[in-house]
Amino acid sequence: MKLFLGMLLILCSVQSWAVCDFDFEKNKICGKLEWIDGPYLGEKSHFEVKMYRKGDLSESPIDAQVDFHFYAWMVMDNGHSHGGPKMTYQNVRPGVYEVRDARFFMHGMQGYWEIRADYKRYGRAMETAAVRVEFDQ
Amino acid sequence: MKLLGILLFLLVGCGESPFLNDEGELRSVQAVESELYLKDSEVSINTFWQEGPYVFDESKILIILQGSNGTTYREEISFKVKLWMPGMGHGSFPVTLEKIADGVFLASEVFFTMPGYWDIHFQVFDGEALKEEVKWGLEL
C-alpha cells in the first residue's frame, strides 16, 4: 500500500513537471498555456498563461514579486529571426496573464512562430522560455 | 541718421510673410507626408501618420483619396493597403482599413515587424483582380 501510494505520488510529481509549456528551468517556474480563441493566422488570438512553481502539485499561482513579459517571435529559416506585432498582456488574477491581441501571420515567411515569456524580477529579465505556436492548417 | 537707418531697415528687412498670399489670406503649411498617384483611377493618395511609424508597435495612417477635380474621391472604390518587405521577401499582419467618409480611410493594425526597408502598397481592385497599385517606400 505504501509502495503504491509512493508510486502514485511520484507519478503525480512527474505529471506536474511534464505539463509545462513555458519551462523556466533555472528559476523552477512552470507556465501553462491555454488558448481561449485561436491560434489564428491573420486574425487576433487570445490566450492565458498560468505561472506556478515547478513541482507544486496544487499549481498555486506564483507570488507577486515576479513579473513576466510576453511577446511574439518569428524563428526564420534564413536566420533573420525577429519579433512580431506587439502583444498587450494583463495580470488578470494572481499568477495568470492574459493576452487578447496576439497576432500571427506568414505572408511569405518561412519559419515558425513562438510565444516568448521573459521572467522578470524587480524589473530585470532573468530568464526566457518559449512555446512554439501550432496552427490548424 | 539713426531714424533714416531704422526706416531703411524696415523697408528692406521685412520681406513678405511666407504664410500670406497677395490677398493676405493665411495659407496652411504643407502637412501632407507623401503624395502618390493612381494613374488609371486618376486618384491622388495623401497620407498622414496618426500613430507611428513604429517597429513592433501598432502604427496608424489616415489616407485621403483625392479625385482629379481636387475634391475627396466619391466614387465606389475597392481599396486595400498591404505591407511588404522586399529585402526579406515577406509581408506583415493584414492591415485593417476603415472607411471614415467618402475617400477617407483609416489604416490600423499597421505592424512593421522589423527595422529596415518597407513598401506600403496602395491597391485598387476590380473584383478579385488587382487593377493597379502604387508603393510608398520607407526605411525604419
Side-chain angles (χ1 to χ4, degrees):
Chain A
M1 188 64 179
K2 280 183 189 175
L3 183 65
F4 173 74
L5 286 170
M7 291 285 288
L8 192 65
L9 201 65
I10 290 165
L11 273 169
C12 288
S13 302
V14 165
Q15 181 63 19
S16 161
W17 282 69
V19 183
C20 197
D21 300 309
F22 292 95
D23 190 354
F24 296 92
E25 284 184 33
K26 281 184 222 167
N27 292 278
K28 305 281 186 287
I29 292 170
C30 189
K32 215 180 251 185
L33 169 69
E34 184 190 346
W35 287 103
I36 310 297
D37 193 12
Y40 303 120
L41 287 166
E43 289 175 49
K44 276 193 274 193
S45 302
H46 177 191
F47 66 85
E48 276 191 0
V49 179
K50 179 183 171 182
M51 299 291 189
Y52 59 93
R53 297 277 171 206
K54 268 190 176 182
D56 179 356
L57 296 177
S58 65
E59 296 182 0
S60 303
I62 206 141
D63 59 61
Q65 297 298 321
V66 300
D67 198 8
F68 296 89
H69 166 61
F70 294 90
Y71 54 103
W73 189 260
M74 181 68 186
V75 180
M76 298 275 279
D77 290 351
N78 63 9
H80 293 282
S81 300
H82 58 83
K86 189 176 173 182
M87 288 180 189
T88 312
Y89 53 91
Q90 281 185 308
N91 187 197
V92 291
R93 294 185 297 285
V96 178
Y97 296 82
E98 182 187 39
V99 171
R100 289 177 171 266
D101 59 358
R103 293 179 175 94
F104 307 103
F105 60 93
M106 294 314 289
H107 207 181
M109 291 194 292
Q110 300 297 318
Y112 60 89
W113 283 101
E114 287 181 342
I115 299 169
R116 288 193 173 184
D118 290 340
Y119 161 62
K120 296 169 82 172
R121 202 168 175 90
Y122 305 112
R124 213 176 123 217
M126 308 295 285
E127 191 179 355
T128 299
V131 172
R132 180 167 176 162
V133 184
E134 302 287 350
F135 301 95
D136 292 333
Q137 294 299 327
Chain B
M1 195 61 183
K2 274 186 194 174
L3 185 61
L4 187 64
I6 291 165
L7 283 171
L8 208 62
F9 172 77
L10 286 171
L11 195 66
V12 174
C14 297
E16 184 186 335
S17 167
F19 298 105
L20 295 174
N21 62 15
D22 291 337
E23 284 79 42
E25 199 180 317
L26 186 66
R27 277 181 264 151
S28 60
V29 174
Q30 179 67 293
V32 172
E33 297 264 355
S34 162
E35 190 167 321
L36 305 145
Y37 186 64
L38 288 160
K39 194 178 161 190
D40 294 346
S41 309
E42 293 183 315
V43 170
S44 289
I45 302 172
N46 303 303
T47 59
F48 301 82
W49 289 104
Q50 294 290 284
E51 290 182 36
Y54 304 122
V55 178
F56 302 129
D57 212 340
E58 184 183 9
S59 301
K60 292 182 183 178
I61 311 170
L62 185 70
I63 302 165
I64 298 176
L65 305 183
Q66 198 173 11
S68 52
N69 59 0
T71 62
T72 51
Y73 191 73
R74 294 201 177 146
E75 307 291 325
E76 276 301 310
I77 189 168
S78 180
F79 180 67
K80 290 183 185 177
V81 175
K82 183 185 94 168
L83 305 182
W84 190 259
M85 202 171 191
M88 290 289 152
H90 68 74
S92 185
F93 193 81
V95 172
T96 297
L97 205 58
E98 181 194 350
K99 186 176 177 181
I100 308 289
D102 285 342
V104 183
F105 297 85
L106 179 66
S108 60
E109 293 190 282
V110 175
F111 286 100
F112 301 105
T113 51
M114 57 193 299
Y117 178 81
W118 287 84
D119 279 328
I120 303 176
H121 290 240
F122 299 94
Q123 301 174 318
V124 176
F125 282 81
D126 183 2
E128 293 296 315
L130 178 65
K131 185 181 160 190
E132 69 172 319
E133 69 173 359
V134 66
K135 293 184 289 187
W136 176 23
L138 64 157
E139 185 79 36
L140 294 172

PDB file of all heavy atoms in Angstrom, chain B residues 57-82:
ATOM      1  N   ASP B  57       5.262  47.993 -32.604  1.00  0.00           N
ATOM      2  CA  ASP B  57       4.030  48.566 -32.067  1.00  0.00           C
ATOM      3  C   ASP B  57       3.114  48.973 -33.214  1.00  0.00           C
ATOM      4  O   ASP B  57       3.559  49.127 -34.352  1.00  0.00           O
ATOM      5  CB  ASP B  57       4.356  49.769 -31.182  1.00  0.00           C
ATOM      6  CG  ASP B  57       3.370  49.913 -30.040  1.00  0.00           C
ATOM      7  OD1 ASP B  57       2.260  49.353 -30.138  1.00  0.00           O
ATOM      8  OD2 ASP B  57       3.694  50.594 -29.052  1.00  0.00           O
ATOM      9  N   GLU B  58       1.848  49.170 -32.915  1.00  0.00           N
ATOM     10  CA  GLU B  58       0.879  49.480 -33.959  1.00  0.00           C
ATOM     11  C   GLU B  58       1.027  50.912 -34.471  1.00  0.00           C
ATOM     12  O   GLU B  58       1.067  51.857 -33.683  1.00  0.00           O
ATOM     13  CB  GLU B  58      -0.539  49.274 -33.428  1.00  0.00           C
ATOM     14  CG  GLU B  58      -1.627  49.491 -34.472  1.00  0.00           C
ATOM     15  CD  GLU B  58      -3.035  49.359 -33.915  1.00  0.00           C
ATOM     16  OE1 GLU B  58      -3.181  49.260 -32.681  1.00  0.00           O
ATOM     17  OE2 GLU B  58      -3.991  49.358 -34.706  1.00  0.00           O
ATOM     18  N   SER B  59       1.069  51.050 -35.784  1.00  0.00           N
ATOM     19  CA  SER B  59       1.036  52.370 -36.414  1.00  0.00           C
ATOM     20  C   SER B  59      -0.336  52.548 -37.057  1.00  0.00           C
ATOM     21  O   SER B  59      -1.036  51.565 -37.331  1.00  0.00           O
ATOM     22  CB  SER B  59       2.116  52.488 -37.488  1.00  0.00           C
ATOM     23  OG  SER B  59       3.398  52.273 -36.949  1.00  0.00           O
ATOM     24  N   LYS B  60      -0.699  53.815 -37.296  1.00  0.00           N
ATOM     25  CA  LYS B  60      -1.978  54.100 -37.961  1.00  0.00           C
ATOM     26  C   LYS B  60      -1.771  55.206 -38.987  1.00  0.00           C
ATOM     27  O   LYS B  60      -1.029  56.164 -38.714  1.00  0.00           O
ATOM     28  CB  LYS B  60      -3.029  54.551 -36.940  1.00  0.00           C
ATOM     29  CG  LYS B  60      -3.457  53.464 -35.987  1.00  0.00           C
ATOM     30  CD  LYS B  60      -4.542  53.929 -35.028  1.00  0.00           C
ATOM     31  CE  LYS B  60      -4.869  52.831 -34.047  1.00  0.00           C
ATOM     32  NZ  LYS B  60      -5.883  53.228 -33.064  1.00  0.00           N
ATOM     33  N   ILE B  61      -2.420  55.069 -40.119  1.00  0.00           N
ATOM     34  CA  ILE B  61      -2.275  56.053 -41.198  1.00  0.00           C
ATOM     35  C   ILE B  61      -3.658  56.540 -41.639  1.00  0.00           C
ATOM     36  O   ILE B  61      -4.545  55.720 -41.922  1.00  0.00           O
ATOM     37  CB  ILE B  61      -1.573  55.445 -42.434  1.00  0.00           C
ATOM     38  CG1 ILE B  61      -0.299  54.692 -42.049  1.00  0.00           C
ATOM     39  CG2 ILE B  61      -1.256  56.544 -43.450  1.00  0.00           C
ATOM     40  CD1 ILE B  61       0.294  53.875 -43.179  1.00  0.00           C
ATOM     41  N   LEU B  62      -3.811  57.839 -41.694  1.00  0.00           N
ATOM     42  CA  LEU B  62      -5.030  58.399 -42.276  1.00  0.00           C
ATOM     43  C   LEU B  62      -4.757  58.591 -43.767  1.00  0.00           C
ATOM     44  O   LEU B  62      -3.735  59.184 -44.134  1.00  0.00           O
ATOM     45  CB  LEU B  62      -5.374  59.737 -41.621  1.00  0.00           C
ATOM     46  CG  LEU B  62      -6.699  60.353 -42.073  1.00  0.00           C
ATOM     47  CD1 LEU B  62      -7.877  59.538 -41.546  1.00  0.00           C
ATOM     48  CD2 LEU B  62      -6.816  61.792 -41.591  1.00  0.00           C
ATOM     49  N   ILE B  63      -5.636  58.068 -44.598  1.00  0.00           N
ATOM     50  CA  ILE B  63      -5.432  58.113 -46.053  1.00  0.00           C
ATOM     51  C   ILE B  63      -6.578  58.889 -46.677  1.00  0.00           C
ATOM     52  O   ILE B  63      -7.751  58.549 -46.454  1.00  0.00           O
ATOM     53  CB  ILE B  63      -5.384  56.683 -46.631  1.00  0.00           C
ATOM     54  CG1 ILE B  63      -4.261  55.874 -45.971  1.00  0.00           C
ATOM     55  CG2 ILE B  63      -5.196  56.726 -48.147  1.00  0.00           C
ATOM     56  CD1 ILE B  63      -4.361  54.387 -46.188  1.00  0.00           C
ATOM     57  N   ILE B  64      -6.231  59.906 -47.444  1.00  0.00           N
ATOM     58  CA  ILE B  64      -7.260  60.690 -48.135  1.00  0.00           C
ATOM     59  C   ILE B  64      -7.059  60.535 -49.634  1.00  0.00           C
ATOM     60  O   ILE B  64      -5.977  60.845 -50.161  1.00  0.00           O
ATOM     61  CB  ILE B  64      -7.209  62.170 -47.722  1.00  0.00           C
ATOM     62  CG1 ILE B  64      -7.487  62.288 -46.217  1.00  0.00           C
ATOM     63  CG2 ILE B  64      -8.240  62.992 -48.514  1.00  0.00           C
ATOM     64  CD1 ILE B  64      -7.366  63.688 -45.654  1.00  0.00           C
ATOM     65  N   LEU B  65      -8.091  60.033 -50.304  1.00  0.00           N
ATOM     66  CA  LEU B  65      -8.035  59.881 -51.761  1.00  0.00           C
ATOM     67  C   LEU B  65      -8.645  61.131 -52.399  1.00  0.00           C
ATOM     68  O   LEU B  65      -9.739  61.551 -52.030  1.00  0.00           O
ATOM     69  CB  LEU B  65      -8.815  58.641 -52.201  1.00  0.00           C
ATOM     70  CG  LEU B  65      -8.413  57.309 -51.553  1.00  0.00           C
ATOM     71  CD1 LEU B  65      -9.220  56.164 -52.149  1.00  0.00           C
ATOM     72  CD2 LEU B  65      -6.924  57.048 -51.714  1.00  0.00           C
ATOM     73  N   GLN B  66      -7.906  61.667 -53.328  1.00  0.00           N
ATOM     74  CA  GLN B  66      -8.340  62.913 -53.964  1.00  0.00           C
ATOM     75  C   GLN B  66      -8.558  62.672 -55.450  1.00  0.00           C
ATOM     76  O   GLN B  66      -7.691  62.109 -56.129  1.00  0.00           O
ATOM     77  CB  GLN B  66      -7.237  63.952 -53.746  1.00  0.00           C
ATOM     78  CG  GLN B  66      -7.649  65.369 -53.935  1.00  0.00           C
ATOM     79  CD  GLN B  66      -6.519  66.317 -53.524  1.00  0.00           C
ATOM     80  OE1 GLN B  66      -5.392  65.884 -53.297  1.00  0.00           O
ATOM     81  NE2 GLN B  66      -6.834  67.580 -53.427  1.00  0.00           N
ATOM     82  N   GLY B  67      -9.725  63.079 -55.952  1.00  0.00           N
ATOM     83  CA  GLY B  67     -10.027  62.904 -57.363  1.00  0.00           C
ATOM     84  C   GLY B  67      -9.366  63.974 -58.218  1.00  0.00           C
ATOM     85  O   GLY B  67      -8.739  64.901 -57.689  1.00  0.00           O
ATOM     86  N   SER B  68      -9.532  63.856 -59.524  1.00  0.00           N
ATOM     87  CA  SER B  68      -8.874  64.792 -60.450  1.00  0.00           C
ATOM     88  C   SER B  68      -9.432  66.215 -60.332  1.00  0.00           C
ATOM     89  O   SER B  68      -8.795  67.179 -60.718  1.00  0.00           O
ATOM     90  CB  SER B  68      -9.012  64.304 -61.900  1.00  0.00           C
ATOM     91  OG  SER B  68     -10.374  64.047 -62.176  1.00  0.00           O
ATOM     92  N   ASN B  69     -10.629  66.338 -59.742  1.00  0.00           N
ATOM     93  CA  ASN B  69     -11.212  67.676 -59.569  1.00  0.00           C
ATOM     94  C   ASN B  69     -10.753  68.329 -58.266  1.00  0.00           C
ATOM     95  O   ASN B  69     -11.200  69.425 -57.924  1.00  0.00           O
ATOM     96  CB  ASN B  69     -12.740  67.599 -59.616  1.00  0.00           C
ATOM     97  CG  ASN B  69     -13.315  66.692 -58.549  1.00  0.00           C
ATOM     98  OD1 ASN B  69     -12.578  66.103 -57.756  1.00  0.00           O
ATOM     99  ND2 ASN B  69     -14.623  66.561 -58.526  1.00  0.00           N
ATOM    100  N   GLY B  70      -9.914  67.653 -57.540  1.00  0.00           N
ATOM    101  CA  GLY B  70      -9.354  68.222 -56.316  1.00  0.00           C
ATOM    102  C   GLY B  70     -10.131  67.936 -55.065  1.00  0.00           C
ATOM    103  O   GLY B  70      -9.682  68.239 -53.964  1.00  0.00           O
ATOM    104  N   THR B  71     -11.315  67.347 -55.204  1.00  0.00           N
ATOM    105  CA  THR B  71     -12.112  67.031 -54.003  1.00  0.00           C
ATOM    106  C   THR B  71     -11.835  65.585 -53.578  1.00  0.00           C
ATOM    107  O   THR B  71     -11.213  64.822 -54.317  1.00  0.00           O
ATOM    108  CB  THR B  71     -13.620  67.193 -54.269  1.00  0.00           C
ATOM    109  OG1 THR B  71     -14.001  66.256 -55.299  1.00  0.00           O
ATOM    110  CG2 THR B  71     -13.971  68.607 -54.709  1.00  0.00           C
ATOM    111  N   THR B  72     -12.336  65.222 -52.405  1.00  0.00           N
ATOM    112  CA  THR B  72     -12.141  63.830 -51.974  1.00  0.00           C
ATOM    113  C   THR B  72     -12.888  62.913 -52.948  1.00  0.00           C
ATOM    114  O   THR B  72     -13.933  63.275 -53.491  1.00  0.00           O
ATOM    115  CB  THR B  72     -12.660  63.584 -50.540  1.00  0.00           C
ATOM    116  OG1 THR B  72     -13.998  64.062 -50.444  1.00  0.00           O
ATOM    117  CG2 THR B  72     -11.799  64.277 -49.497  1.00  0.00           C
ATOM    118  N   TYR B  73     -12.324  61.748 -53.154  1.00  0.00           N
ATOM    119  CA  TYR B  73     -12.821  60.813 -54.159  1.00  0.00           C
ATOM    120  C   TYR B  73     -14.139  60.218 -53.692  1.00  0.00           C
ATOM    121  O   TYR B  73     -14.201  59.603 -52.635  1.00  0.00           O
ATOM    122  CB  TYR B  73     -11.763  59.732 -54.383  1.00  0.00           C
ATOM    123  CG  TYR B  73     -12.024  58.858 -55.571  1.00  0.00           C
ATOM    124  CD1 TYR B  73     -11.834  59.352 -56.862  1.00  0.00           C
ATOM    125  CD2 TYR B  73     -12.454  57.554 -55.421  1.00  0.00           C
ATOM    126  CE1 TYR B  73     -12.063  58.557 -57.962  1.00  0.00           C
ATOM    127  CE2 TYR B  73     -12.682  56.751 -56.509  1.00  0.00           C
ATOM    128  CZ  TYR B  73     -12.493  57.254 -57.786  1.00  0.00           C
ATOM    129  OH  TYR B  73     -12.728  56.454 -58.878  1.00  0.00           O
ATOM    130  N   ARG B  74     -15.188  60.369 -54.491  1.00  0.00           N
ATOM    131  CA  ARG B  74     -16.525  59.968 -54.038  1.00  0.00           C
ATOM    132  C   ARG B  74     -17.050  58.709 -54.713  1.00  0.00           C
ATOM    133  O   ARG B  74     -18.099  58.212 -54.344  1.00  0.00           O
ATOM    134  CB  ARG B  74     -17.509  61.107 -54.279  1.00  0.00           C
ATOM    135  CG  ARG B  74     -17.140  62.247 -53.421  1.00  0.00           C
ATOM    136  CD  ARG B  74     -18.130  63.239 -53.119  1.00  0.00           C
ATOM    137  NE  ARG B  74     -17.411  64.165 -52.197  1.00  0.00           N
ATOM    138  CZ  ARG B  74     -17.596  65.422 -52.149  1.00  0.00           C
ATOM    139  NH1 ARG B  74     -18.469  65.974 -52.921  1.00  0.00           N
ATOM    140  NH2 ARG B  74     -16.912  66.173 -51.306  1.00  0.00           N
ATOM    141  N   GLU B  75     -16.316  58.221 -55.721  1.00  0.00           N
ATOM    142  CA  GLU B  75     -16.779  57.036 -56.446  1.00  0.00           C
ATOM    143  C   GLU B  75     -16.545  55.810 -55.583  1.00  0.00           C
ATOM    144  O   GLU B  75     -15.706  55.805 -54.674  1.00  0.00           O
ATOM    145  CB  GLU B  75     -15.986  56.872 -57.757  1.00  0.00           C
ATOM    146  CG  GLU B  75     -15.968  58.096 -58.655  1.00  0.00           C
ATOM    147  CD  GLU B  75     -17.336  58.367 -59.254  1.00  0.00           C
ATOM    148  OE1 GLU B  75     -18.058  57.405 -59.551  1.00  0.00           O
ATOM    149  OE2 GLU B  75     -17.682  59.561 -59.392  1.00  0.00           O
ATOM    150  N   GLU B  76     -17.280  54.719 -55.914  1.00  0.00           N
ATOM    151  CA  GLU B  76     -17.034  53.443 -55.225  1.00  0.00           C
ATOM    152  C   GLU B  76     -15.653  52.934 -55.620  1.00  0.00           C
ATOM    153  O   GLU B  76     -15.300  52.962 -56.798  1.00  0.00           O
ATOM    154  CB  GLU B  76     -18.087  52.396 -55.665  1.00  0.00           C
ATOM    155  CG  GLU B  76     -19.389  52.478 -54.893  1.00  0.00           C
ATOM    156  CD  GLU B  76     -19.195  52.274 -53.391  1.00  0.00           C
ATOM    157  OE1 GLU B  76     -18.535  51.292 -52.992  1.00  0.00           O
ATOM    158  OE2 GLU B  76     -19.707  53.100 -52.605  1.00  0.00           O
ATOM    159  N   ILE B  77     -14.894  52.506 -54.646  1.00  0.00           N
ATOM    160  CA  ILE B  77     -13.552  52.020 -54.945  1.00  0.00           C
ATOM    161  C   ILE B  77     -13.205  50.864 -54.016  1.00  0.00           C
ATOM    162  O   ILE B  77     -13.493  50.904 -52.826  1.00  0.00           O
ATOM    163  CB  ILE B  77     -12.505  53.168 -54.826  1.00  0.00           C
ATOM    164  CG1 ILE B  77     -11.137  52.727 -55.337  1.00  0.00           C
ATOM    165  CG2 ILE B  77     -12.411  53.712 -53.408  1.00  0.00           C
ATOM    166  CD1 ILE B  77     -10.141  53.866 -55.520  1.00  0.00           C
ATOM    167  N   SER B  78     -12.631  49.806 -54.599  1.00  0.00           N
ATOM    168  CA  SER B  78     -12.180  48.673 -53.786  1.00  0.00           C
ATOM    169  C   SER B  78     -10.695  48.907 -53.493  1.00  0.00           C
ATOM    170  O   SER B  78      -9.837  48.666 -54.333  1.00  0.00           O
ATOM    171  CB  SER B  78     -12.395  47.370 -54.558  1.00  0.00           C
ATOM    172  OG  SER B  78     -11.965  46.275 -53.785  1.00  0.00           O
ATOM    173  N   PHE B  79     -10.430  49.411 -52.324  1.00  0.00           N
ATOM    174  CA  PHE B  79      -9.107  49.927 -51.984  1.00  0.00           C
ATOM    175  C   PHE B  79      -8.513  49.118 -50.841  1.00  0.00           C
ATOM    176  O   PHE B  79      -9.192  48.846 -49.848  1.00  0.00           O
ATOM    177  CB  PHE B  79      -9.274  51.405 -51.596  1.00  0.00           C
ATOM    178  CG  PHE B  79      -8.014  52.110 -51.218  1.00  0.00           C
ATOM    179  CD1 PHE B  79      -7.012  52.340 -52.156  1.00  0.00           C
ATOM    180  CD2 PHE B  79      -7.819  52.567 -49.925  1.00  0.00           C
ATOM    181  CE1 PHE B  79      -5.848  53.003 -51.802  1.00  0.00           C
ATOM    182  CE2 PHE B  79      -6.664  53.233 -49.568  1.00  0.00           C
ATOM    183  CZ  PHE B  79      -5.676  53.447 -50.509  1.00  0.00           C
ATOM    184  N   LYS B  80      -7.256  48.719 -50.999  1.00  0.00           N
ATOM    185  CA  LYS B  80      -6.605  47.935 -49.933  1.00  0.00           C
ATOM    186  C   LYS B  80      -5.186  48.442 -49.703  1.00  0.00           C
ATOM    187  O   LYS B  80      -4.584  49.063 -50.588  1.00  0.00           O
ATOM    188  CB  LYS B  80      -6.541  46.455 -50.334  1.00  0.00           C
ATOM    189  CG  LYS B  80      -7.891  45.775 -50.343  1.00  0.00           C
ATOM    190  CD  LYS B  80      -7.792  44.305 -50.674  1.00  0.00           C
ATOM    191  CE  LYS B  80      -9.194  43.704 -50.784  1.00  0.00           C
ATOM    192  NZ  LYS B  80      -9.187  42.303 -51.177  1.00  0.00           N
ATOM    193  N   VAL B  81      -4.690  48.140 -48.512  1.00  0.00           N
ATOM    194  CA  VAL B  81      -3.317  48.521 -48.151  1.00  0.00           C
ATOM    195  C   VAL B  81      -2.577  47.264 -47.714  1.00  0.00           C
ATOM    196  O   VAL B  81      -3.107  46.475 -46.931  1.00  0.00           O
ATOM    197  CB  VAL B  81      -3.307  49.565 -47.012  1.00  0.00           C
ATOM    198  CG1 VAL B  81      -1.881  49.851 -46.560  1.00  0.00           C
ATOM    199  CG2 VAL B  81      -3.990  50.844 -47.458  1.00  0.00           C
ATOM    200  N   LYS B  82      -1.393  47.105 -48.234  1.00  0.00           N
ATOM    201  CA  LYS B  82      -0.604  45.913 -47.909  1.00  0.00           C
ATOM    202  C   LYS B  82       0.827  46.347 -47.572  1.00  0.00           C
ATOM    203  O   LYS B  82       1.362  47.263 -48.191  1.00  0.00           O
ATOM    204  CB  LYS B  82      -0.598  44.990 -49.127  1.00  0.00           C
ATOM    205  CG  LYS B  82       0.130  43.669 -48.926  1.00  0.00           C
ATOM    206  CD  LYS B  82       0.184  42.869 -50.209  1.00  0.00           C
ATOM    207  CE  LYS B  82       1.460  43.134 -50.959  1.00  0.00           C
ATOM    208  NZ  LYS B  82       1.697  42.171 -52.071  1.00  0.00           N
TER     209      LYS B  82
END
